[in-house]
Amino acid sequence: MTERITVGRLYPTPPAPLQRNGGARPTAGRSEFDQLLQSELVKFSHHAETRLKQRGIQIDNEQLAKLETAIDKAAAKGAKDTLMVLGGTALIVNVPNRTVITALDGAKLQDQVFTQIDSAVIIS
């Protein structure tokens, strides 16, 4: 070894940065596609899925399309957390994430107080 090692340096030249295998970053085109895809979908949280099953609430494709339109309208108005009433079902939706947080059926709607929402949408 003819290269001199100075105090405080382990290597005579800086090592190459480590890269993880299998953790390749998506290309710019891919991330834009993912963002577009995520902005178009309505997601259901685990809590909402559980409540839908417990309460026997089923949302068909037509209702889902109406819900997507309502989320778009709420987002255009700057809503964050919205109460959406779809038929006899109430849904609390986080608009920026397009995620249904929880669901209540008609029987559970009586005498309920909804807090931490900033808007409401009645979907016909």
Side-chain angles (χ1 to χ4, degrees):
M1 270 182 100
T2 60
E3 295 178 3
R4 191 176 86 165
I5 298 177
T6 58
V7 176
R9 287 184 66 186
L10 278 170
Y11 303 101
T13 57
L18 298 175
Q19 293 188 6
R20 298 179 187 182
N21 293 336
R25 292 184 180 177
T27 62
R30 179 74 176 152
S31 64
E32 290 174 10
F33 176 74
D34 288 341
Q35 290 174 355
L36 178 65
L37 183 64
Q38 291 301 322
S39 69
E40 296 298 320
L41 296 177
V42 174
K43 297 171 281 206
F44 291 84
S45 69
H46 178 71
H47 177 77
E49 288 177 355
T50 303
R51 293 294 178 250
L52 288 169
K53 287 178 187 173
Q54 283 179 346
R55 296 172 178 153
I57 301 169
Q58 294 183 355
I59 298 177
D60 61 18
N61 290 337
E62 182 182 336
Q63 290 175 322
L64 193 58
K66 288 180 180 180
L67 184 61
E68 288 175 2
T69 303
I71 291 173
D72 292 336
K73 288 179 182 178
K77 296 285 187 176
K80 302 291 184 218
D81 291 306
T82 303
L83 167 67
M84 295 193 175
V85 180
L86 177 64
T89 303
L91 306 167
I92 304 293
V93 179
N94 181 278
V95 175
N97 294 333
R98 301 182 69 85
T99 304
V100 176
I101 298 170
T102 193
L104 295 139
D105 59 352
K108 298 282 184 184
L109 284 177
Q110 294 179 359
D111 298 327
Q112 287 293 321
V113 175
F114 296 97
T115 59
Q116 298 180 355
I117 60 170
D118 59 10
S119 56
V121 178
I122 309 300
I123 304 168
S124 58

